[in-house]
Amino acid sequence: MPKPTIAMSVKEDTMSFTPSRRALLSGAAAGMLGLAACQPSAPLGSGSGGEGVGEHPSLAYLPSTQPANWSAVIGAVNEKMKADIGTTLDAQFLNWSQYAQQVLLKFTAAETFDSALNARWMNMVQLVSSNSLADLTDEIGKHENLSKALAPELIEANKWSGRLWGIPQVNGAARIHHFGYRDDLAAGELTDFDSFLKYLSDVKQKNPDITPFELHNNVGLNQAITFSPLTWEDPQPVSQAFSGGSIGVAINPDDPTDIRPVYESEHIIEGIRVLRDLYEKGLVNKDALTLDSATANSQFAAGRFAAHGVITDGLGSQSLKTLQAAVPGASLANLLPYRDGLAAKPFQTFQSDNFAVINPAGDVDRALQIQDWLSIQENHDMLAYGIEGTDWTASGEDKYEALSDYVFPGFALLWRIDLERMPSTISASEEEIFAWSKKFENFTLDPLATFYPDVTPVKKEDAELTNVATEHLKPLCSGAVDVDAGLDALRRAAEAAGIEKVMEEMRTQISAHLAEQG
Amino acid sequence: MSSSPTAPATTAAPPTARARRRPAARWSLGLILLAVPGILYFLVMNYAPMAGLVVAFKEFDVSQGIFGSPWNGLRNFEYFIATGSAPRILWNTVFLNTLFLASTLVVGIVLAIMLNEIRLSIYKRTMQSAIFFPYFVSPVVISVILQVLLAGVGGQSGAVNDMLSVFSLPQVSWYSEPGPWPVILTIVKVWQLGGYQSVIFLAAITSISEETYEAAAIDGATRAQMAWHITVPMLRPTIAILVILGVGRIFYGDFGTIYAIVGDNGLLFPTTDVIDTYVFRALRTLGDFGTTAAVGLFQSVVGLLFVLGALQLQRRFAKDTSVL
């Protein structure tokens, strides 16, 4: 038998090497294992025992787009951070429209990064139930500056069943949705809900090129609640849901176990009717379901809308500089049309809308060291407002004047109530509302203030209800469908998706929580 | 008298040992070395990842990994199958894919025949490039183009509605009306893929013998008759291959295009929500890889059954053009 040859010839006399199929497959499998062995192994675990702090930048995922002048600012921040604590920050910005799902996938796929923004209205409930977040309950106290910057009440209000799963990102006590509007388009002072609706009609008549009110694809219950006249007459407790985007329940403040689907709440139904009316009259944009929030905000800043929804974070006037560049003489104002004004004392849970959460597959210690470093005023200001003298300059004790277009999403990483400065462009009305929102005593404690439902027992039903909300509730809240027909379709779909089971589970968990509270 | 040709002596000779080994010669080292990169590619990229399909039968937990997570039987399949939307989603997936497949094939054939009739080379190449270009346009760009055409700024006008106004026709709120969307999406797919398909058919047309056309011309056939009676029948094997490939993916929704255009606009779900968009929304809500793996497995198995079914039909009713 001829000797095996490795000649690359097809001549018959060289066709003598006849390995078996099994040998061939074994060889291929060995090759595959070899290739696998060449793959760099991803570091898992906290990393604190392996790589020392500072060997790699701390990767953080943040929403929105990269700020202007970012490379100069992060360069300065990292230079000081490296000198102070021996590490650096690598902030990656993800577009808002895909942020929630991208971050969810990064966590559930055990990608190695240190921190990200998350929230109950995104997927924090799912992340907690899948053990995808680092438990920070016993960690905050180990970091002096961080624990000093976070009030004990704030920590307590944001614990879920006694555990803290993220650093609450707040710059005030309460979060109240209300209206922000172009003051230069108003004939006079807006004082109540009716005058605001009249303002929208007047804008449409006098400025046909401007859409009176802006809605975007995050439209949902907040819009229905904000546009409900009943809300301003009689503020109700915040509704409860197992996860953000799902269909929740309305709570009876006198008996929190008395719950019903949100689509049966009179407050919400009235709000939906108002939105439908505005839609039919052309007072809101008709592309809300396809318009992403970043585009909507840029269109507002370009003067294409007269009003939009804002929240009590003191940032409603942040777009004024851009707006005035597009529309010289433009001015902004805020309206919180409670019947009793700032004495209304609406319900509040004092739970943070947003959390800086830490990935257990990343370097937990390093992420907390950075949080601690950012809790020092000088460091905080450098990342929050940019390089002093170039991007901003102090204006009084608690304000800053922006000198460049640098805007950092501080609510995603470094908001500390006592360290925040207000923009010097803040309108008088917004400053008044913001100051009011900072005081706990201006609000009534929600009966379910420390309650966080666990979605695990109804995970599939809740996911199905999220689909139902996308298909039926969002169009209703954008005003795009007939209210009665839309509510009927929503009710049928929610029942088919298991709303009864979800409500029963919610009732059980609320009862257990109330019993625990005594 | 003519003598019949004699057979070569070698054919009459008894088979030698070398000749007996000939079938085994397929295992040439050279050929094996040539095949190794391809084999490795398919093993690493296609077969090894199949081990991950076990996720479809597990309660996946990141901290425990794929193989450490507990088994949960068929519970992951229940989420999709038990949902009230399943019949609608399955119908949309099959219906839209059938529309896409049929329309792109028909338009591809027509474009190829038309291109084949162009005699001026530079004009033919320019047209070919022009109709091929949309294949490279991103679905996101297509989405923006559609918004300009159908909605305009603020969703209250758009070029199409402006045109309807010119003819005193009522305006349509396109992004609120699910009815027209199968047609709109089909137009988009035809625009995107018509040129691409035509190139495949054009390549097949060039292999048709000129003599066949010359014979038809002698018989007095017109160009249209030649196209219908010669070109189209000769394209049947190519059509058969493309149909088989398309049928194999008929349970895969065209996620890229549909999600980029429709996004989370629930008003359009009744006619546009397909398996892939539904599963994507579920994944981003649940963060549950088990459920999505289950649906992916379901799509693959049904796709395989469809391919086998299509092959059987071909073998039975179109044996001469059957590809496998």
Side-chain angles (χ1 to χ4, degrees):
Chain A
M1 189 163 173
K3 276 174 67 180
T5 173
I6 55 169
M8 292 291 286
S9 167
V10 292
K11 284 171 70 177
E12 283 185 9
D13 58 355
T14 63
M15 292 178 180
S16 49
F17 178 57
T18 55
S20 68
R21 284 162 198 257
R22 184 178 296 173
L24 183 72
L25 288 173
S26 306
M32 212 170 70
L33 289 173
L35 281 177
C38 294
Q39 296 280 332
S41 58
L44 288 171
S46 76
S48 53
E51 299 153 4
V53 165
E55 287 182 18
H56 300 290
S58 174
L59 179 58
Y61 288 112
L62 307 174
S64 77
T65 52
Q66 184 171 296
N69 201 27
W70 173 245
S71 57
V73 173
I74 193 64
V77 166
N78 278 338
E79 191 180 340
K80 187 166 190 304
M81 193 187 287
K82 181 85 176 169
D84 291 349
I85 58 172
T87 192
T88 54
L89 175 69
D90 175 16
Q92 297 289 323
F93 297 90
L94 305 175
N95 194 294
W96 256 126
S97 60
Q98 300 292 325
Y99 180 82
Q101 54 262 43
Q102 284 194 25
V103 165
L104 174 68
L105 292 179
K106 285 175 189 301
F107 270 109
T108 48
E111 191 180 304
T112 48
F113 61 96
D114 284 359
S115 59
L117 165 75
N118 217 284
R120 216 174 133 185
W121 57 271
M122 286 192 238
N123 5 66
M124 198 160 157
V125 174
Q126 295 95 310
L127 291 175
V128 169
S129 64
S130 64
N131 301 316
S132 301
L133 299 182
D135 184 349
L136 305 180
T137 316
D138 303 320
E139 301 296 326
I140 304 295
K142 297 175 186 170
H143 299 273
E144 187 187 345
N145 299 304
L146 181 60
S147 52
K148 208 189 299 175
L150 302 174
E153 301 92 327
L154 181 65
I155 299 283
E156 283 310 308
N158 285 287
K159 280 183 178 171
W160 298 18
S161 303
R163 313 306 299 172
L164 186 70
W165 297 104
I167 298 166
Q169 299 294 306
V170 293
N171 62 357
R175 310 275 289 167
I176 303 287
H177 290 268
H178 59 291
F179 302 118
Y181 64 95
R182 288 263 306 275
D183 196 25
D184 55 304
L185 297 176
E189 191 186 358
L190 305 186
T191 53
D192 55 27
F193 188 67
D194 290 338
S195 64
F196 182 69
L197 293 182
K198 184 173 183 310
Y199 163 82
L200 297 180
S201 298
D202 291 347
V203 167
K204 170 86 176 168
Q205 278 189 342
K206 293 175 189 164
N207 307 277
D209 293 338
I210 298 176
T211 304
F213 197 88
E214 169 235 298
L215 294 173
H216 54 70
N217 61 5
N218 279 343
V219 67
L221 282 185
N222 284 330
Q223 283 64 41
I225 291 168
T226 314
F227 272 100
S228 171
L230 296 180
T231 299
W232 306 115
E233 292 292 313
D234 171 30
Q236 286 287 301
V238 177
S239 62
Q240 287 287 338
F242 277 107
S243 62
S246 181
I247 293 179
V249 296
I251 309 280
N252 176 354
D254 299 324
D255 175 12
T257 57
D258 177 15
I259 58 176
R260 53 192 165 148
V262 286
Y263 50 77
E264 289 180 8
S265 157
E266 282 177 19
H267 283 63
I268 287 163
I269 292 172
E270 282 307 304
I272 288 171
R273 289 196 192 284
V274 172
L275 283 160
R276 176 64 177 166
D277 187 46
L278 296 177
Y279 180 93
E280 289 183 315
K281 289 176 178 167
L283 301 183
V284 296
N285 52 311
K286 295 193 171 176
D287 59 350
L289 295 173
T290 52
L291 182 67
D292 68 86
S293 60
T295 309
N297 289 339
S298 66
Q299 289 187 357
F300 181 84
R304 296 220 174 115
F305 291 104
H308 62 169
V310 292
I311 200 163
T312 48
D313 59 8
L315 300 179
S317 311
Q318 218 173 20
S319 59
L320 184 61
K321 197 176 161 193
T322 317
L323 177 63
Q324 285 178 334
V327 186
S331 58
L332 295 173
N334 284 27
L335 172 67
L336 185 71
Y338 283 124
R339 182 189 60 195
D340 297 330
L342 298 184
K345 297 201 83 167
F347 285 96
Q348 274 293 291
T349 61
F350 302 119
Q351 292 169 357
S352 176
D353 265 0
N354 301 312
F355 291 84
V357 295
I358 295 178
N359 182 11
D363 191 328
V364 177
D365 291 341
R366 179 173 59 187
L368 283 166
Q369 283 194 31
I370 289 175
Q371 284 290 331
D372 187 66
W373 186 83
L374 288 170
S375 303
I376 298 168
Q377 185 78 56
E378 182 189 356
N379 304 336
H380 166 276
D381 288 352
M382 196 189 296
L383 188 56
Y385 312 120
I387 300 167
E388 191 169 4
T390 303
D391 297 303
W392 69 284
T393 184
S395 172
E397 280 187 6
D398 57 357
K399 293 196 180 78
Y400 74 98
E401 182 187 343
L403 302 176
S404 74
D405 291 331
Y406 180 82
V407 178
F408 182 78
F411 59 85
L413 189 72
L414 50 71
W415 262 8
R416 311 283 186 264
I417 294 177
D418 294 336
L419 305 186
E420 298 308 311
R421 296 173 187 271
M422 289 179 284
S424 59
T425 52
I426 192 167
S427 66
S429 56
E430 182 171 19
E431 190 171 354
E432 184 186 23
I433 292 169
F434 187 39
W436 167 80
S437 75
K438 286 183 172 181
K439 294 178 182 165
F440 286 85
E441 61 269 26
N442 287 333
F443 303 91
T444 307
L445 187 66
D446 190 289
L448 295 176
T450 55
F451 172 68
Y452 286 90
D454 174 14
V455 72
T456 313
V458 287
K459 195 174 167 185
K460 307 277 182 185
E461 289 79 8
D462 188 64
E464 184 59 13
L465 283 172
T466 305
N467 264 322
V468 172
T470 306
E471 186 172 347
H472 297 285
L473 188 58
K474 274 187 160 200
L476 271 169
C477 294
S478 73
V481 293
D482 176 76
V483 177
D484 294 318
L487 283 172
D488 278 348
L490 170 61
R491 188 176 296 108
R492 281 197 304 273
E495 284 168 2
I499 187 78
E500 285 302 327
K501 183 179 174 188
V502 166
M503 292 225 313
E504 193 51 47
E505 181 60 32
M506 180 68 83
R507 202 173 282 118
T508 305
Q509 291 192 23
I510 289 174
S511 299
H513 171 79
L514 293 174
E516 198 178 293
Q517 299 291 304
Chain B
M1 189 177 160
S2 63
S3 60
S4 61
T6 55
T10 48
T11 54
T16 63
R18 183 183 295 171
R20 277 198 302 272
R21 284 202 305 269
R22 272 183 188 166
R26 288 158 61 198
W27 292 98
S28 150
L29 180 64
L31 291 178
I32 289 168
L33 286 175
L34 275 175
V36 163
I39 292 169
L40 277 179
Y41 174 84
F42 282 107
L43 281 174
V44 174
M45 297 296 185
N46 292 61
Y47 288 95
M50 281 190 192
L53 284 176
V54 293
V55 174
F57 305 95
K58 293 205 160 203
E59 192 68 48
F60 179 65
D61 182 336
V62 172
S63 57
Q64 297 179 68
I66 292 176
F67 299 104
S69 297
W71 297 95
N72 72 353
L74 297 175
R75 221 175 303 156
N76 288 328
F77 292 83
E78 280 173 20
Y79 170 71
F80 176 68
I81 292 165
T83 172
S85 314
R88 185 188 74 188
I89 293 161
L90 290 172
W91 164 254
N92 283 344
T93 308
V94 174
F95 178 62
L96 287 176
N97 275 335
T98 306
L99 274 182
F100 297 165
L101 184 62
S103 55
T104 52
L105 279 176
V106 169
V107 171
I109 293 168
V110 171
L111 284 174
I113 291 171
M114 289 166 79
L115 282 170
N116 191 49
E117 293 299 316
I118 299 174
R119 291 286 162 260
L120 189 58
S121 175
I122 189 165
Y123 181 56
K124 184 176 180 176
R125 285 183 192 165
T126 310
M127 290 306 293
Q128 213 171 322
S129 303
I131 61 171
F132 197 80
F133 172 74
Y135 180 70
F136 298 105
V137 178
S138 152
V140 176
V141 176
I142 294 172
S143 166
V144 173
I145 294 171
L146 271 183
Q147 292 222 12
V148 172
L149 289 174
L150 302 179
V153 176
Q156 324 215 19
S157 54
V160 174
N161 276 332
D162 292 345
M163 206 166 67
L164 290 174
S165 301
V166 170
F167 296 103
S168 303
L169 292 169
Q171 298 212 339
V172 180
S173 181
W174 298 101
Y175 283 88
S176 311
E177 296 290 339
W181 278 90
V183 177
I184 293 171
L185 291 173
T186 304
I187 291 170
V188 168
K189 290 308 288 185
V190 165
W191 180 76
Q192 244 187 331
L193 292 179
Y196 178 82
Q197 299 271 33
S198 74
V199 171
I200 297 172
F201 287 119
L202 201 54
I205 288 173
T206 53
S207 68
I208 300 174
S209 164
E210 271 300 316
E211 288 167 3
T212 317
Y213 289 109
E214 283 165 9
I218 290 168
D219 287 346
T222 62
R223 300 298 301 181
Q225 284 171 324
M226 281 190 250
W228 183 248
H229 293 291
I230 299 173
T231 311
V232 172
M234 299 289 259
L235 287 176
R236 280 168 66 189
T238 312
I239 296 169
I241 291 171
L242 291 175
V243 166
I244 292 288
L245 291 174
V247 163
R249 295 195 59 80
I250 207 155
F251 260 71
Y252 287 87
D254 185 356
F255 177 80
T257 305
I258 295 176
Y259 191 73
I261 293 171
V262 175
D264 282 342
N265 184 350
L267 289 173
L268 305 185
F269 285 176
T271 56
T272 62
D273 203 16
V274 293
I275 295 175
D276 295 69
T277 51
Y278 183 83
V279 168
F280 174 72
R281 291 201 308 279
L283 178 62
R284 89 182 179 208
T285 310
L286 289 164
D288 185 347
F289 288 90
T291 303
T292 45
V295 178
L297 183 59
F298 168 76
Q299 287 175 301
S300 301
V301 171
V302 176
L304 176 67
L305 293 176
F306 268 63
V307 167
L308 294 176
L311 277 174
Q312 287 302 321
L313 285 175
Q314 272 198 8
R315 283 175 184 160
R316 188 158 179 185
F317 298 108
K319 219 170 191 177
D320 53 328
T321 56
S322 181
V323 286
L324 291 170

